[in-house]
């Protein structure tokens, strides 16, 4: 008996063609349909498709025209939060650093700010935070607003995703002042296409112990790169449910960042200011790093004497607007004939000591402040100098009075005025020279930018005169090779 295959082979050629013709036609139809459909909807080689597919996988690498360009102010979005009840007191801090039509950011409020409408176009744009009622079962945080403040990263990311070129998200508090140019300089060091969480600890040991020594404190502010911000925005619900009892939004943030496998990158210029009382001793010995932020200015004495807090902030901003790169940077020089030491915190204070004190001592903050809370042992995350009783170790103190640019000479003149009459006995040295007669110190610095980062040195200075009109003049210069002050 013949098999089916044998029967087919015995058929004439025309019968075989008739048998397979429908199958061939169907195959040709589906081939043409698939080809036409593919060419019509997707050109896998077109630049538009390649760009779109890359954006889907790596949005942070393709949201700028040229990712190799240095980071600038247009690449940064700032997210902060406040309440309508506090807005009257906190908004002046934000206004001090906000630059209309230059900075990008949003202020998230707990409700519509009816009393403050119409909202000034010169102020940071505001948004009303989304409701957090659905998180109530997971809200056992000691700080009432923790969840709302934590969600600012997701809400800022959503707002900023409508813009092109965003690389960094900076989170901060409403009672924080920022120094935008220095912030840009700090972020330029890092690759925004990678996962970065940049900030700093608190100054208080107990604050870090209660939260985490690897936490960027939210008042000081912290910077989050685009890919990390995207990952956080997609996981806010997971983290809120996982950490229902953490103290504040910044600890919740650190916990979520850690769960994503990212650790803190420390930058010394972010300042939480977990301190109280007078900050001049702390700020006059600023670490050699760009000053990025100052927080908690409502719980310390005004930065300048005989001023309220907002006026004092604006006084500091006068210097910042002229030269942020040198703001609070310490410069030390000596008059060896009189055995005097000079310490300048540019744009803030000038000090004269009636003895020679080496830089390794002067760079330690003089304890004019007190701990955030009283701990059993050393309270600070830095080495302070205890405030002395010997007049030789107590400086003559001068505060910034004015700042002026001398364009023809490419120089900046800052003038510092004596704080108060010094009611102390003379220093118990044999030298008769006492700087009580000096009423003002003029500091001449260049208009060129100072780079206060790793690998750089403090600037040096020369004392030009000490007698004319009771004014001492000091001029900055680069340190000579191998020079020790």
């Amino acid at each position: 008996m013949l098999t089916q295959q044998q029967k087919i082979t015995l058929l004439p050629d025309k019968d075989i063609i008739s048998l397979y013709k429908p199958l061939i036609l169907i195959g040709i139809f589906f081939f043409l349909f698939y080809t036409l459909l593919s060419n019509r909807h997707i050109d896998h080689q077109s630049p538009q498709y390649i760009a779109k597919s890359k954006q889907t996988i790596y949005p942070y690498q393709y949201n700028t025209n040229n990712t190799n360009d240095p980071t600038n102010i247009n690449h940064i979005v700032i997210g902060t939060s406040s309440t309508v009840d506090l807005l009257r007191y906190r908004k002046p801090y934000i206004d001090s650093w906000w630059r209309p039509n230059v900075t990008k950011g949003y202020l998230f409020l707990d409700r519509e700010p009816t009393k403050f409408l119409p909202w000034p176009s010169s102020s940071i744009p505001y948004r009303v935070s989304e409701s957090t009622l659905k998180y109530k079962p997971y809200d056992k945080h000691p700080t009432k607003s923790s969840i709302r403040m934590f969600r600012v990263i997701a809400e800022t990311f959503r707002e900023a995703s409508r813009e092109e070129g965003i690389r960094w998200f900076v989170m901060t508090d409403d009672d924080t002042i920022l120094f935008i140019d220095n912030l840009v300089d700090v972020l330029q060091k890092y690759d925004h296409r990678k996962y970065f969480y940049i900030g700093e600890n608190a100054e208080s040991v107990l604050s870090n112990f209660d939260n985490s020594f690897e936490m960027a404190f939210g008042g000081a502010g912290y910077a989050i790169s685009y890919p990390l911000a995207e990952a956080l925005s997609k996981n806010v619900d997971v983290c809120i449910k996982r950490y229902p009892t953490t103290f504040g939004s910044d600890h919740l943030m650190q916990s979520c960042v850690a769960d994503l496998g990212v650790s803190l990158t420390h930058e010394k210029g972010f300042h939480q200011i977990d301190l109280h009382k007078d900050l001049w001793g702390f700020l006059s010995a600023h670490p050699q790093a760009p000053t990025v932020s100052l927080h908690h200015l409502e719980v310390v004495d005004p930065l300048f004497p005989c001023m309220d807090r907002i006026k004092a902030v604006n006084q500091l901003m006068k210097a910042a607007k002229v030269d942020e790169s040198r703001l609070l940077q310490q410069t030390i020089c000596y008059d060896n004939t009189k055995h005097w030491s000079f310490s300048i915190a540019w744009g803030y204070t000038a000090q004269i000591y009636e003895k020679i004190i080496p830089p390794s001592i002067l760079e330690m903050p003089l304890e004019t402040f007190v701990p955030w809370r009283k701990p059993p042992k050393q309270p600070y995350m830095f080495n302070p100098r205890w405030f002395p009783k010997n007049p030789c170790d107590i400086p003559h103190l001068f505060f910034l009075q004015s700042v002026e640019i001398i364009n023809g000479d490419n120089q900046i003149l800052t003038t510092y005025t004596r704080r108060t009459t010094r009611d102390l006995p003379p220093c118990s040295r044999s030298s008769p020279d006492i700087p009580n007669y000096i009423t003002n110190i003029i500091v001449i610095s260049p208009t060129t930018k100072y780079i206060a980062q790793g690998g750089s040195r403090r600037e040096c200075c020369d004392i030009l005169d000490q007698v004319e009109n009771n004014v001492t003049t000091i001029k900055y210069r680069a340190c000579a090779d191998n020079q020790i002050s």
Side-chain angles (χ1 to χ4, degrees):
M1 176 177 281
L2 294 175
T3 64
Q4 184 66 22
Q5 181 64 32
Q6 289 172 329
K7 289 180 180 179
I8 292 175
T9 55
L10 293 176
L11 291 173
D13 291 344
K14 63 179 182 179
D15 293 334
I16 293 174
I17 294 172
S18 299
L19 180 64
Y20 283 100
K21 187 175 181 179
L23 296 175
I24 294 170
L25 292 174
I26 291 171
I28 293 172
F29 171 78
F30 278 109
F31 173 77
L32 292 174
F33 177 80
Y34 176 80
T35 303
L36 290 172
L37 184 66
S38 300
N39 289 337
R40 180 179 179 183
H41 291 284
I42 301 176
D43 178 5
H44 288 267
Q45 302 304 316
S46 69
Q48 293 85 356
Y49 173 78
I50 294 173
K52 184 177 180 181
S53 61
K54 286 182 177 180
Q55 284 179 346
T56 301
I57 302 172
Y58 305 110
Y60 52 91
Q61 294 191 31
Y62 296 93
N63 67 345
T64 60
N65 292 329
N66 189 343
T67 56
N68 294 322
D69 290 343
T71 291
N72 61 55
I73 197 170
N74 295 317
H75 298 132
I76 300 170
V77 173
I78 300 166
T80 187
S81 62
S82 187
T83 66
V84 173
D85 291 341
L86 289 175
L87 203 53
R88 174 185 172 188
Y89 309 100
R90 301 292 178 82
K91 190 171 177 292
Y93 292 106
I94 301 173
D95 290 341
S96 72
W97 57 262
W98 180 259
R99 301 178 186 177
N101 302 317
V102 177
T103 39
K104 298 178 180 180
Y106 306 94
L107 173 64
F108 289 89
L109 299 171
D110 57 339
R111 63 182 188 273
E112 196 71 26
T114 308
K115 295 181 180 179
F116 298 90
L117 299 179
W119 192 261
S121 60
S122 59
S123 295
I124 183 172
Y126 81 88
R127 300 288 187 270
V128 176
S129 297
E130 295 176 355
S131 172
T132 60
L133 289 177
K134 68 177 182 178
Y135 302 110
K136 191 172 182 180
Y138 312 100
D139 189 4
K140 300 177 183 178
H141 306 87
T143 304
K144 182 180 178 181
S145 58
S146 291
I147 290 178
R148 185 177 74 86
M149 293 176 67
F150 171 65
R151 295 195 76 260
V152 166
I153 181 62
E155 295 184 40
T156 304
F157 184 85
R158 181 190 61 204
E159 294 284 346
S161 63
R162 302 168 186 170
E163 301 187 44
E164 293 184 359
I166 302 304
R167 299 180 178 183
W168 294 95
F169 295 82
V170 175
M171 303 291 106
T172 187
D173 279 3
D174 55 355
D175 58 340
T176 300
I177 59 174
L178 294 175
F179 302 98
I180 300 297
D181 293 340
N182 287 343
L183 174 65
V184 171
D185 287 345
V186 167
L187 296 182
Q188 280 182 351
K189 299 189 300 181
Y190 301 98
D191 188 343
H192 62 278
R193 296 165 295 184
K194 297 181 179 180
Y195 291 80
F196 276 108
Y197 167 55
I198 302 171
E200 189 53 295
N201 296 144
E203 295 79 7
S204 164
V205 170
L206 276 181
S207 294
N208 297 310
F209 180 81
D210 289 343
N211 292 277
S212 171
F213 284 87
E214 288 304 308
M215 184 181 94
F217 275 69
Y222 46 84
I224 297 173
S225 59
Y226 192 102
L228 180 55
E230 183 180 38
L232 286 165
S233 66
K234 292 178 179 179
N235 286 281
V236 288
D237 286 355
V238 174
C239 295
I240 288 170
K241 294 174 182 179
R242 180 175 287 180
Y243 299 104
T245 61
T246 52
F247 181 80
S249 61
D250 44 6
H251 195 186
L252 186 55
M253 176 65 71
Q254 184 270 332
S255 301
C256 195
V257 168
D259 288 353
L260 287 166
V262 179
S263 58
L264 175 64
T265 298
H266 293 264
E267 278 288 345
K268 293 182 178 181
F270 291 87
H271 295 293
Q272 174 72 7
I273 310 295
D274 272 3
L275 303 168
H276 286 294
K277 293 194 174 181
D278 200 330
L279 287 185
W280 72 259
F282 177 74
L283 296 180
S284 296
H286 193 276
Q288 196 170 341
T291 307
V292 177
S293 67
L294 296 175
H295 178 49
H296 274 156
L297 298 182
E298 283 196 334
V299 299
V300 296
D301 295 346
L303 297 178
F304 292 88
C306 304
M307 294 185 183
D308 63 34
R309 289 184 172 86
I310 299 302
K311 287 184 179 179
V313 166
N314 291 333
Q315 176 75 351
L316 188 67
M317 283 299 183
K318 289 179 182 178
K321 290 175 181 177
V322 173
D323 187 358
E324 270 194 22
S325 70
R326 285 184 174 81
L327 187 68
L328 300 182
Q329 297 302 308
Q330 187 181 27
T331 299
I332 298 168
C333 51
Y334 301 91
D335 183 336
N336 291 313
T337 61
K338 298 181 182 299
H339 299 283
W340 291 353
S341 303
F342 289 79
S343 175
I344 313 297
W346 193 95
Y348 185 47
T349 63
Q351 302 173 58
I352 304 175
Y353 291 84
E354 296 180 35
K355 62 183 290 188
I356 299 295
I357 303 177
S360 61
I361 303 299
L362 290 178
E363 69 181 9
M364 293 191 294
L366 193 61
E367 195 182 24
T368 61
F369 42 85
V370 297
W372 185 250
R373 287 184 293 153
K374 189 175 180 179
K377 294 183 179 180
Q378 156 66 4
Y380 307 117
M381 292 289 291
F382 53 88
N383 295 318
R385 285 184 288 150
W386 313 126
F387 200 88
K389 295 181 179 179
N390 188 337
C392 295
D393 298 313
I394 300 175
H396 296 250
L397 182 60
F398 304 75
F399 278 91
L400 176 72
Q401 180 184 45
S402 63
V403 56
E404 179 184 4
I405 300 177
I406 310 299
N407 289 321
D409 298 327
N410 293 321
Q411 294 177 337
I412 302 171
L413 267 62
T414 47
T415 302
Y416 306 80
T417 300
R418 185 180 287 274
R419 179 180 189 179
T420 57
T421 302
R422 181 180 167 90
D423 296 324
L424 291 173
C427 178
S428 57
R429 292 188 302 104
S430 57
S431 173
D433 294 312
I434 302 173
N436 286 343
Y437 64 90
I438 297 175
T439 58
N440 292 282
I441 295 177
I442 294 176
V443 173
I444 303 171
S445 57
T447 56
T448 54
K449 189 173 183 178
Y450 173 63
I451 307 300
Q453 296 180 7
S456 64
R457 299 176 65 183
R458 274 194 304 262
E459 290 181 292
C460 289
C461 53
D462 294 318
I463 302 161
L464 302 185
D465 67 74
Q466 296 175 342
V467 293
E468 187 176 352
N469 297 323
N470 297 330
V471 174
T472 291
T473 303
I474 296 174
K475 187 172 183 178
Y476 280 22
R477 61 171 172 80
C479 296
D481 291 343
N482 305 318
Q483 176 183 352
I484 293 181
S485 298

